[in-house]
Amino acid sequence: LPPRQSSGAKNFPVIADVDVDRSVIDLPLCAVNPIELVNARSCSEDEKLFNYLLKTCHYLSFSRPVGQNMKYLIRSADGVVLGCLLFGAAAWKCEDRDRFIGWSATTREANVNLLTNNTRFLILPWVHIKYLASHVLSQVVRRLSADWLKCYGSKVALVETFVDTSRYLGTCYQAANWRYAGQTKGRTRQDRHTRIRVPVKDIYVYPLQRNYRDRLCL
């Protein structure tokens, strides 16, 4: 055999440190409106800031998204960064979600690319603005499908997210009219032998098209 070309190790990109103003922001929502959702990938400095904030401030940290993704910085009317939203690949298989949609194994395999997953949602820990989270979630679903089309040439029909019930109640998703679709089994996508146990998560979904079931079940 020829010599191995790679060690097989994951060479994740280094996320550079960014100087961030961490002054407490304690304001009513009206004081920071209109909120702007900025496509962080459209500017290298914005993307650098996005990556750093998720890595250092989100409890799951961040290295890099897998596959197609959208990165948004949440900015106030005067440009102050308040948080981040990341959308990436949907879960390959999820029993309660698949039942909610009406998927068989065959239609799921054919159409899972029409879903996206809100894999990270971060309101910065020094930002204390009541109703901000649900306001942002309501705003992003109005543009997500169009942004996905512009970036990747196809529209997504449904967005999903998984809320760790050991940490959160999912109140902001409920307030933004996301639909509860069930719970996970407490496993990960790497758990081929049903041995890995992780916290059970509530599943929330939001249809991005009125006829989303027709499109997903073709």
Side-chain angles (χ1 to χ4, degrees):
L1 293 175
R4 176 180 257 189
Q5 299 297 307
S6 168
S7 66
K10 293 181 179 179
N11 297 314
F12 292 134
V14 175
I15 294 179
D17 290 345
V18 178
D19 187 25
V20 177
D21 182 359
R22 297 173 183 253
S23 302
V24 172
I25 301 173
D26 191 349
L27 295 167
L29 182 59
C30 62
V32 296
N33 264 334
I35 296 295
E36 184 182 9
L37 298 178
V38 178
N39 180 358
R41 297 175 61 197
S42 64
C43 168
S44 60
E45 291 304 308
D46 281 347
E47 187 164 24
K48 219 154 82 171
L49 176 60
F50 176 98
N51 293 344
Y52 174 75
L53 290 174
L54 275 191
K55 178 186 175 183
T56 57
C57 298
H58 197 282
Y59 80 99
L60 292 175
S61 191
F62 178 72
S63 54
R64 65 176 179 184
V66 177
Q68 297 178 339
N69 64 88
M70 293 297 302
K71 299 177 176 181
Y72 296 101
L73 282 174
I74 304 164
R75 291 188 181 272
S76 67
D78 56 358
V80 176
V81 175
L82 305 173
C84 309
L85 281 160
L86 174 65
F87 296 87
W92 174 246
K93 185 186 296 185
C94 181
E95 184 178 333
D96 282 3
R97 179 207 63 188
D98 297 349
R99 185 184 300 114
F100 177 90
I101 294 171
W103 265 349
S104 65
T106 303
T107 52
R108 172 179 53 78
E109 289 176 11
N111 296 323
V112 71
N113 63 306
L114 299 177
L115 267 60
T116 184
N117 189 319
N118 177 205
T119 57
R120 298 286 190 277
F121 182 25
L122 171 68
I123 299 297
L124 295 171
W126 52 89
V127 174
H128 307 293
I129 300 173
K130 198 171 184 181
Y131 310 124
L132 174 63
S134 57
H135 178 78
V136 167
L137 288 170
S138 297
Q139 189 171 332
V140 75
V141 295
R142 292 197 291 268
R143 61 176 286 181
L144 182 58
S145 192
D147 287 349
W148 205 272
L149 176 64
K150 184 177 180 181
C151 191
Y152 297 112
S154 64
K155 286 186 176 182
V156 283
L158 189 80
V159 57
E160 67 185 11
T161 198
F162 300 99
V163 176
D164 185 341
T165 56
S166 68
R167 289 174 173 269
Y168 304 109
L169 298 176
T171 307
C172 61
Y173 290 96
Q174 297 164 22
N177 295 319
W178 289 51
R179 303 183 191 177
Y180 176 77
Q183 290 189 317
T184 64
K185 303 298 184 184
R187 296 173 53 194
T188 72
R189 66 177 69 199
Q190 287 80 31
D191 186 15
R192 295 181 182 177
H193 305 292
T194 67
R195 296 171 184 165
I196 303 172
R197 302 303 299 175
V198 296
V200 170
K201 296 181 179 180
D202 284 345
I203 307 163
Y204 288 91
V205 298
Y206 194 98
L208 300 178
Q209 296 178 18
R210 191 169 295 176
N211 62 338
Y212 71 99
R213 278 199 174 97
D214 294 338
R215 189 174 179 210
L216 291 173
C217 295
L218 285 175

